[in-house]
Amino acid sequence: MTQTLTRQQTYTVTDIGKTFEFFHSNLRLFSDCSGVDRNLVDDRAADVVAFARAKYLKEVHVMLYNAQGSRIRAARFTVSEDASGWKSDLPGGTLWPQTPGGHIYIVVSYNQTWATLSDEAKQKFKSALRVSWGPSSADTTYADMVAEETWQYASSNYGLAQTGFRSK
């Protein structure tokens, strides 16, 4: 006897928006706790949401550096298009230390859909963004940091897993 199971992965742009409301809220909390300029954070968050809604996003890395240039906190947000069964957690890991003179650095990791776009299509998309995004050499492996808890945020089958990191 043979059985087949069909599983549909369905989500909408609205589901992406709902999920990234958690990202944006957490980013604001990172900024407020650390004392980093919130206006810069909001512009970058708007662009990250645009990447997500266009379905170009694989991961987002948010890193807090102190005035001396040392990375002291980080969060990796990983996109899932198969988050059925996920239950959205309450936001967590957002109490970053007050960091006078510090800055928040955001790295966007693109998915395969972005990679297949023509250079012209990529430039057209980027021209509508608030911030100029370029290549980054930031280490996003976090080998120099300690992983903390992971939180999940989801709407329908679209999800975002946030893993926190702190300096050793």
Side-chain angles (χ1 to χ4, degrees):
M1 182 164 112
T2 303
Q3 292 182 333
T4 55
L5 173 68
T6 303
R7 187 172 73 185
Q8 264 188 318
Q9 296 179 353
T10 58
Y11 61 89
T12 66
V13 174
T14 301
D15 294 315
I16 295 170
K18 286 179 183 178
T19 302
F20 270 87
E21 285 176 15
F22 288 103
F23 168 79
H24 197 171
S25 295
N26 285 358
L27 196 54
R28 284 182 173 160
L29 288 169
F30 296 156
S31 173
D32 290 347
C33 289
S34 64
V36 175
D37 184 3
R38 188 187 230 190
N39 292 326
L40 297 175
V41 168
D42 285 342
D43 285 344
R44 284 161 179 78
D47 285 357
V48 168
V49 172
F51 278 112
R53 285 189 169 148
K55 300 180 183 176
Y56 297 150
L57 202 55
K58 178 181 176 183
E59 292 179 333
V60 183
H61 301 267
V62 182
M63 295 167 262
L64 174 63
Y65 290 85
N66 63 19
Q68 294 73 38
S70 297
R71 183 169 61 183
I72 58 174
R73 293 300 291 253
R76 177 182 54 224
F77 294 85
T78 305
V79 170
S80 174
E81 293 182 345
D82 187 18
S84 61
W86 285 22
K87 189 174 86 177
S88 284
D89 294 321
L90 293 173
T94 56
L95 296 176
W96 285 10
Q98 185 70 21
T99 311
H103 68 279
I104 289 179
Y105 188 70
I106 300 174
V107 175
V108 173
S109 178
Y110 307 114
N111 64 17
Q112 189 59 37
T113 303
W114 175 264
T116 61
L117 292 176
S118 69
D119 289 341
E120 183 180 320
K122 289 176 185 176
Q123 287 306 316
K124 182 178 179 184
F125 179 81
K126 284 184 172 183
S127 70
L129 300 176
R130 295 182 184 184
V131 178
S132 177
W133 294 85
S136 172
S137 60
D139 175 13
T140 57
T141 64
Y142 307 113
D144 61 332
M145 303 185 91
V146 176
E148 297 179 317
E149 194 171 344
T150 298
W151 295 267
Q152 295 179 329
Y153 313 109
S155 181
S156 294
N157 284 331
Y158 191 86
L160 195 60
Q162 171 194 338
T163 303
F165 298 89
R166 61 172 170 77
S167 56
K168 290 182 179 178

